[in-house]
Structure formats: structure tokens, C-alpha cells
Amino acid sequence: MKIRKLRGVIDRVVSGVAAIVPDDRTPEVYVAAGDIPGAREGLAVDLVIIPQDNPNAVCPVLGRKPPRPPKPQKIRSYASLVRQMIKTRDRLKATRAELDQGLGSDLDELQEKIDYLERGIDLFS
């Protein structure tokens, strides 16, 4: 009994038979769709089959490798971002204090930037 590892993508499912196009560009292989849970067009499969002499025959599936579960998203540390935002906010406050003494005209723009940074600091800390 010869066995073959089959990796590929399901091309189509017709009458309970799934046509799989192998990744190694060999002719397509037919297996029973019931042997592949959730068999649908475009599903990537990794199977162990018994190849048949007739290329149009349905090959029995000995085993299958389940798809990998997605990796959990890593949570980044935003400590350096928050530190930089605090430094920038403090510099803008100092600039605003200097402009208050000299009656500068950019106070509204500076205050908007300071408010924006404070919202960002609250969000990331």
C-alpha cells in the first residue's frame, strides 16, 4: 500500500467529491468531501491519502492535519510612546507660558495640541 502526503487547495466540490489541486503542480486528486470537515472551494488542506491507479478514482483519506489556530495578537508596550507624549506636552505648556507673557497669537493652536496629547496620554496609559 502506497501512501502520499497531499497539500493543496480544494478547487471544487461536486456531488460529495472534492477536487484538490496539489501545491506540487501534479494532476488534481479526488477525495470524498465527507473526509474533510468543512470542505469548501478555496480551503487549504494537508492530507495523507492512498493514491489510486485510476486518476479519476476517489482516494481514501488516512489522516489530515488540522489547520493551525491563529496566533494571538501581541500587546505592545506603549511606555516609550507615553513618555515621549508627556515630554512633548510639557514642552508645549512651557512654550504656551512664554507666549502668554509676550501675548503671542498661536495660543489656540498650542492649546489644541496640548489637549490632543493629553487625550492620547490618557488613552495609552
Side-chain angles (χ1 to χ4, degrees), residues 74-124:
K74 292 183 179 180
I75 298 174
R76 295 182 179 179
S77 172
Y78 293 106
S80 60
L81 173 66
V82 172
R83 274 194 308 270
Q84 189 62 39
M85 290 169 75
I86 290 171
K87 286 179 185 178
T88 305
R89 180 197 62 190
D90 293 343
R91 286 184 191 138
L92 289 174
K93 283 183 178 180
T95 304
R96 185 186 64 190
E98 289 177 9
L99 289 177
D100 279 343
Q101 295 170 359
L103 299 174
S105 61
D106 295 331
L107 292 177
D108 292 337
E109 185 179 330
L110 280 175
Q111 187 59 45
E112 183 180 335
K113 289 179 181 179
I114 291 168
D115 292 342
Y116 186 77
L117 284 169
E118 287 177 350
R119 281 185 277 159
I121 291 167
D122 289 340
L123 178 66
F124 288 104

Side-chain angles (χ1 to χ4, degrees), residues 1-113:
M1 168 186 356
K2 294 190 316 186
I3 60 173
R4 176 181 167 201
K5 204 168 185 186
L6 174 67
R7 292 181 113 180
V9 178
I10 296 178
D11 183 43
R12 63 190 177 280
V13 178
V14 179
S15 302
V17 177
I20 300 174
V21 177
D23 290 343
D24 60 358
R25 307 243 185 238
T26 56
E28 63 183 21
V29 177
Y30 303 102
V31 298
D35 292 342
I36 306 169
R40 65 182 185 286
E41 191 174 308
L43 179 70
V45 294
D46 190 1
L47 306 171
V48 177
I49 62 167
I50 300 174
Q52 300 296 316
D53 294 332
N54 182 357
N56 294 328
V58 176
C59 299
V61 176
L62 293 178
R64 64 179 178 80
K65 185 176 181 181
R68 283 185 169 174
K71 291 183 178 181
Q73 186 177 6
K74 292 183 179 180
I75 298 174
R76 295 182 179 179
S77 172
Y78 293 106
S80 60
L81 173 66
V82 172
R83 274 194 308 270
Q84 189 62 39
M85 290 169 75
I86 290 171
K87 286 179 185 178
T88 305
R89 180 197 62 190
D90 293 343
R91 286 184 191 138
L92 289 174
K93 283 183 178 180
T95 304
R96 185 186 64 190
E98 289 177 9
L99 289 177
D100 279 343
Q101 295 170 359
L103 299 174
S105 61
D106 295 331
L107 292 177
D108 292 337
E109 185 179 330
L110 280 175
Q111 187 59 45
E112 183 180 335
K113 289 179 181 179

